[in-house]
């Protein structure tokens, strides 16, 4: 008899990253590293969210280079173009089209409550544009077009993924089921890497203080210097506790990279003080980033290869996203030819 067992359908995951400057250790530990681990078990898609980046002004030549760099980094961190779907958002027109459909299902009140909108509009008060406000509708389009079950993001993006879920549910209730309801997928460790200079804030690539973040392109010397200058407290015990935000952050970074527990780290540095600990954190970061940086440098020398991978990704992404877009259009009553 013919074997009729069918392999269970793999669950899907999708995530994106904006090409606004070089990603930080926060982007890497909170998002990109998890993506690499997911690609064996799940059907994964990852994109460079370049359309999102223009909600704030970008200088054209620099912006173009950052898109190449971010795409190269996706591959450099270990994502495989033959395993995961890798693409650049603006190469797939369905994202912009779907945004309009979803914008008409996004409420003014809920968009006004988004923390990222509040932060960005405060920071760029001379350019509070419609795109900045509608950002979550575009993000919902990125996600819902690919029908993922999980959206692996850092803690700061949880609110946007939850809003995406609300928009999807609203759409499905009005027009009939089109979208899978996605769930944010956030790791306990690494989900919120903090600034090295103000550990109450998240580590951000747009921080004006260069010492506040470690960029994936920082040299070993720079990483060592930034870790040594990290703000801590006036005690000397390496232990995870309330009020020790700086040490807690360094412990999270070290724990995420080495897979050690907080207790093991405390035991390792007992009686040794913060100086030794900071050096160990820096060395762990340097060694984790070394192979990524090497691959990144090689990839950036081969733009033709990057463009070929972008093209291949865009074609696959278009096929998937157009199917979902057509389904949504039909359900809404548009004439789809
Ligand atoms: P972006 O480009 O700011 O960041 C990319 C990913 O990195 C995570 N991240 C962090 N994780 C831990 N600690 C930090 N300090 C830290 N900083 C950033 C973010 O949570 C994110 O997962 N709106 C998104 C991009 C986007 C998107 C999407 C994401 C556009 N469309 C669809 C998921 C699905 C953003 O600005 O991420």
């Amino acid at each position: 008899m013919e074997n009729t067992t069918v392999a269970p359908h793999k669950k899907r995951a999708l995530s994106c990253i904006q090409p606004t400057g070089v990603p930080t250790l926060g982007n890497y530990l909170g998002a990109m590293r998890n993506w690499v681990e997911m690609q064996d078990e799940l059907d994964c898609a990852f994109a460079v969210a370049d359309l999102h980046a223009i909600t704030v002004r970008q200088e054209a030549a620099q912006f173009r280079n950052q898109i190449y760099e971010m795409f190269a980094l996706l591959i450099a961190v270990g994502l495989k173009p033959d395993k995961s779907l890798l693409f650049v958002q603006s190469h797939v027109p369905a994202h912009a089209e779907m945004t309009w459909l979803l914008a008409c299902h996004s409420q003014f009140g809920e968009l006004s409550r988004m923390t990222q909108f509040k932060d960005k509009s405060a920071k760029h008060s001379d350019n509070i544009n419609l795109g900045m406000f509608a950002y979550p509708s575009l993000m919902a389009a990125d996600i819902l077009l690919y029908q993922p079950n999980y959206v692996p993001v850092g803690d700061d993006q949880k609110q946007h993924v939850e809003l995406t879920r609300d928009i999807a549910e609203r759409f499905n209730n009005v027009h009939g089921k089109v979208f899978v309801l996605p769930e944010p997928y956030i790791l306990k460790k690494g989900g919120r890497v903090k600034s090295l200079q103000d550990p109450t804030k998240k580590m951000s690539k747009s921080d004006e203080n260069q010492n506040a973040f470690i960029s994936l392109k920082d040299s070993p010397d720079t990483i060592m210097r930034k870790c040594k200058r990290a703000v801590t407290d006036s005690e000397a015990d390496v232990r995870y506790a309330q009020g020790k935000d700086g040490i807690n952050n360094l412990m999270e970074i070290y724990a995420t990279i080495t897979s050690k527990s907080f207790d093991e780290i405390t035991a390792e540095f007992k009686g040794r003080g913060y100086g030794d600990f900071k050096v160990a954190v820096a060395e762990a970061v340097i060694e984790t980033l070394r192979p990524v940086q090497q691959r990144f440098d090689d990839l950036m020398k081969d733009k033709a290869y990057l463009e070929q991978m972008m093209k291949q990704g865009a074609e696959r992404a278009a096929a998937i996203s157009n199917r979902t877009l057509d389904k949504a259009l039909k359900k809404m009553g548009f004439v789809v030819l």
Side-chain angles (χ1 to χ4, degrees):
M1 206 173 86
E2 208 181 322
N3 183 358
T4 51
T5 340
V6 179
H9 197 69
K10 270 192 184 175
K11 295 249 177 172
R12 291 188 174 182
L14 171 134
S15 202
C16 308
I17 184 161
Q18 295 193 68
T20 44
V22 184
T24 66
L25 187 66
N27 297 120
Y28 183 58
L29 297 182
M32 299 170 100
R33 225 169 78 123
N34 310 329
W35 301 351
V36 178
E37 283 174 19
M38 289 180 127
Q39 69 178 340
D40 288 327
E41 279 141 54
L42 305 175
D43 218 346
C44 291
F46 302 107
V48 175
D50 53 351
L51 294 173
H52 277 94
I54 61 164
T55 54
V56 300
R57 295 261 178 272
Q58 303 291 341
E59 194 278 312
Q62 194 183 333
F63 184 44
R64 187 172 303 113
N65 190 49
Q66 286 175 182
I67 297 169
Y68 279 109
E69 286 195 342
M70 192 56 84
F71 193 79
L73 261 175
L74 293 182
I75 302 176
V77 297
L79 295 172
K80 305 261 179 294
D82 53 348
K83 210 179 251 181
S84 296
L85 169 57
L86 306 181
F87 65 100
V88 175
Q89 183 188 33
S90 65
H91 293 165
V92 187
H95 288 245
E97 289 178 59
M98 181 62 99
T99 301
W100 181 248
L101 306 191
L102 298 179
C104 297
H105 294 79
S106 310
Q107 298 300 306
F108 184 87
E110 60 195 2
L111 292 172
S112 317
R113 283 194 293 276
M114 293 294 112
T115 311
Q116 190 164 318
F117 172 68
K118 288 188 206 160
D119 290 350
K120 269 199 183 163
S121 51
K123 203 164 159 199
H124 303 274
S125 54
D126 57 332
N127 180 24
I128 305 176
N129 55 68
L130 175 59
M132 194 183 273
F133 189 63
Y135 183 109
S137 306
L138 174 58
M139 183 156 157
D142 299 337
I143 297 172
L144 299 177
L145 281 170
Y146 298 85
Q147 311 277 23
N149 307 90
Y150 304 113
V151 184
V153 285
D155 190 54
D156 63 313
Q157 293 299 317
K158 188 170 171 217
Q159 197 185 27
H160 283 157
V161 181
E162 282 167 352
L163 177 58
T164 297
R165 208 181 148 85
D166 291 345
I167 295 171
E169 203 165 20
R170 186 175 300 138
F171 186 103
N172 285 350
N173 284 340
V174 176
H175 306 287
K177 187 167 182 303
V178 174
F179 301 123
V180 168
L181 303 189
E183 275 175 45
Y185 182 95
I186 299 165
L187 288 197
K188 286 213 182 69
K189 288 207 179 89
R192 181 168 275 266
V193 178
K194 308 279 179 25
S195 153
L196 297 179
Q197 292 298 313
D198 176 358
T200 58
K201 289 195 323 200
K202 77 164 182 174
M203 182 181 281
S204 164
K205 53 192 170 228
S206 51
D207 203 309
E208 273 149 29
N209 183 349
Q210 295 283 320
N211 286 323
F213 60 89
I214 292 174
S215 119
L216 293 199
K217 277 166 68 178
D218 279 347
S219 68
D221 286 352
T222 306
I223 296 172
M224 185 59 77
R225 183 168 40 79
K226 288 182 177 177
C227 285
K228 283 186 175 166
R229 285 195 190 160
V231 169
T232 49
D233 52 70
S234 55
E235 288 185 12
D237 293 340
V238 177
R239 66 189 168 89
Y240 199 95
Q242 214 178 1
K244 290 171 72 76
D245 293 333
I247 284 295
N248 294 349
N249 187 35
L250 293 177
M251 283 182 82
E252 292 233 8
I253 293 172
Y254 193 64
T256 311
I257 295 176
T258 62
S259 305
K260 290 179 183 164
S261 69
F262 292 149
D263 285 347
E264 283 168 336
I265 298 170
T266 299
E268 186 179 347
F269 293 96
K270 199 167 171 52
R272 287 171 60 190
Y274 290 169
D276 272 12
F277 178 52
K278 285 178 169 179
V279 170
V281 174
E283 281 169 353
V285 173
I286 291 166
E287 289 316 312
T288 310
L289 296 188
R290 196 188 298 282
V292 175
Q293 293 177 333
Q294 181 64 51
R295 280 196 294 267
F296 172 77
D297 290 342
D298 291 346
L299 284 161
M300 281 305 285
K301 288 184 200 126
D302 195 352
K303 291 258 169 73
Y305 171 76
L306 292 177
E307 285 173 4
Q308 191 193 332
M309 290 302 107
M310 285 177 179
K311 209 157 177 242
Q312 177 185 305
E315 280 165 14
R316 276 180 62 203
I320 301 172
S321 56
N322 284 336
R323 259 201 313 275
T324 315
L325 178 64
D326 277 0
K327 198 168 166 192
L329 287 166
K330 273 189 202 140
K331 288 268 192 199
M332 289 180 77
F334 285 97
V335 177
V336 176
L337 298 176

